[in-house]
Amino acid sequence: MRSNAQLAEFHDHAPQEDSFRDAVLEGLARSRKAIPCRFLYDARGSALFDEICRVPEYYPTRTELRILEDRAGEIAALIGPHCQLIEFGSGSSIKVRTLLDALDADAYVPVDISRDHLRRAADDLAADFPNLDVVAICADYHHPFRLPSRPVRGRRFGFFPGSTIGNFEPDEAVDFLAMCADLLGDGGAMLVGIDLKKDAAILDAAYDDAAGVTAKFSLNLLARANRELGADFDITRFAHDAHYEEGAGRVEIYIRSLVHQKVIIAGRRFHLAQGERIHTEYSYKYTIPEFRDLARSAGFRPTMSWTDADDLFSVHYLETGG
Ligand SMILES: C[S@@+](CC[C@H](N)C(=O)[O-])C[C@H]1O[C@@H](n2cnc3c(N)ncnc32)[C@H](O)[C@@H]1O
């Protein structure tokens, strides 16, 4: 058994459980049905996302990890000693290990909405980095949350990998980054992973892999509604639908109804026509200049931008304070 010293401190500011119910009932009542993407991540969804990261078509994880491995020394030199590292949407906290190996960090604050997955990942990391103060915060990062009230000797350093910022509409991404800049304060810095615009065929395959792992991840949203809300979705009557819309610069992800059907959720009845779609997620892609402009609009000063040899993915170092 582990001693307490090796466990992460855990703060639970997760949304109330009825928020999923309200979002599903409200989202399915709309003429263009939609359920926000944060609900894709219950414990099962987080485990499936980890599987997606290992499918051959899903290049973002391995490409970003390679950039971080190559640049970890440079990043550590920019950040300096004794930082408090705050990771937004930390998932399994895999990529941050590459940074922590290179950095002289005092504290790590993983923030994620997926409570049980976060707790496990934070405890594993605390056990592997026994000199690090690990304080996990379960929260919806769309809303301001409080950081641990510890004195910080070095910089506050934000980390937002995985191109997760692509799930925001561009104007929401600006608001989110502005909130991060406030949270990090003067002298703060942030590292953001951004998937780059590219050939539609590469993106379509990455978001709909041949083994069907992404489809499982997507349809888990309906399975979650069955588990948590007593809904009666027949998962076999739905399909995952993902494609790159070049004009909009985003991968659009839906769950498509294969037949005309009705479902009952929390006593409410909803009809879906054959072919009708429930929108679940956008994944915006950027060019390097587009993302640097977006970061500037949020009040950051972009300094370094790194990419891989094939220009698939990019990692950006941003500083607060104009
Ligand atoms: C695309 S995954 C990326 C995971 C990991 N950072 C990586 O790069 O592989 C997005 C992560 O953000 C979390 N997440 C999604 N929406 C969130 C929200 N509104 N608030 C907090 N965490 C959220 C998910 O639980 C998941 O762990």
Side-chain angles (χ1 to χ4, degrees):
M1 240 177 75
R2 287 175 183 163
S3 72
N4 278 342
Q6 290 167 302
L7 289 178
E9 191 176 310
F10 196 84
H11 296 243
D12 196 345
H13 306 301
Q16 302 290 322
E17 274 163 20
D18 58 6
S19 72
F20 179 46
R21 178 181 174 278
D22 294 349
V24 171
L25 294 180
E26 193 267 317
L28 295 190
R30 292 194 207 168
S31 55
R32 298 179 66 180
K33 296 182 171 40
I35 301 174
C37 64
R38 62 182 177 279
F39 295 109
L40 289 163
Y41 295 93
D42 62 347
R44 175 81 183 130
S46 295
L48 283 166
F49 180 76
D50 283 352
E51 266 187 59
I52 291 176
C53 293
R54 294 189 288 269
V55 303
E57 296 94 329
Y58 198 75
Y59 63 86
T61 302
R62 59 176 180 274
T63 312
E64 183 177 33
L65 203 47
R66 172 68 73 84
I67 298 172
L68 293 174
E69 283 162 5
D70 289 349
R71 303 295 179 173
E74 235 175 295
I75 294 166
L78 286 167
I79 291 164
H82 304 304
C83 70
Q84 183 189 57
L85 200 173
I86 302 136
E87 181 173 1
F88 302 92
S90 49
S92 291
S93 291
I94 300 292
K95 293 168 186 165
V96 76
R97 288 167 177 261
T98 301
L99 296 179
L100 288 170
D101 284 339
L103 279 169
D104 175 11
D106 285 357
Y108 172 55
V109 183
V111 181
D112 204 287
I113 202 162
S114 188
R115 184 186 290 110
D116 296 343
H117 197 79
L118 169 65
R119 194 187 283 276
R120 244 190 329 271
D123 284 343
D124 286 350
L125 194 128
D128 293 342
F129 292 84
N131 297 324
L132 194 67
D133 185 21
V134 181
V135 184
I137 301 182
C138 182
D140 179 348
Y141 53 47
H142 287 96
H143 306 292
F145 56 88
R146 250 182 303 132
L147 289 172
S149 54
R150 317 268 214 273
V152 182
R153 292 192 291 168
R155 283 179 197 266
R156 282 210 160 110
F157 169 46
F159 182 41
F160 198 25
S163 208
T164 306
I165 201 166
N167 296 149
F168 292 85
E169 293 283 354
D171 57 339
E172 293 170 354
V174 172
D175 292 348
F176 173 77
L177 284 180
M179 183 197 83
C180 293
D182 267 1
L183 198 70
L184 299 170
D186 284 347
M190 184 141 177
L191 199 64
V192 186
I194 295 292
D195 196 13
L196 295 174
K197 286 185 170 163
K198 60 181 63 65
D199 193 82
I202 300 176
L203 287 165
D204 287 352
Y207 287 82
D208 193 5
D209 60 287
V213 181
T214 320
K216 243 193 245 171
F217 170 73
S218 191
L219 295 172
N220 174 59
L221 191 56
L222 305 186
R224 177 178 182 182
N226 287 350
R227 283 192 295 272
E228 293 183 22
L229 310 178
D232 66 351
F233 284 106
D234 176 352
I235 313 294
T236 62
R237 296 171 142 217
F238 291 88
H240 168 65
D241 182 340
H243 61 276
Y244 184 53
E245 279 292 330
E246 200 163 348
R250 66 190 182 202
V251 176
E252 300 190 350
I253 304 169
Y254 302 89
I255 294 171
R256 186 164 31 86
S257 177
L258 294 173
V259 293
H260 182 89
Q261 56 185 318
K262 73 168 185 345
V263 287
I264 298 185
I265 310 164
R268 299 248 312 260
R269 180 189 302 252
F270 297 91
H271 288 274
L272 288 118
Q274 182 175 9
E276 187 174 354
R277 299 184 303 181
I278 304 169
H279 175 248
T280 56
E281 197 170 33
Y282 287 142
S283 183
Y284 276 86
K285 309 301 168 189
Y286 293 96
T287 62
I288 289 178
E290 278 172 351
F291 179 71
R292 289 170 68 93
D293 281 350
L294 189 147
R296 269 188 213 101
S297 311
F300 274 106
R301 188 171 54 246
T303 59
M304 303 301 293
S305 296
W306 298 284
T307 183
D308 55 289
D310 300 316
D311 284 335
L312 293 172
F313 202 90
S314 60
V315 172
H316 303 260
Y317 186 83
L318 317 173
E319 291 180 345
T320 61

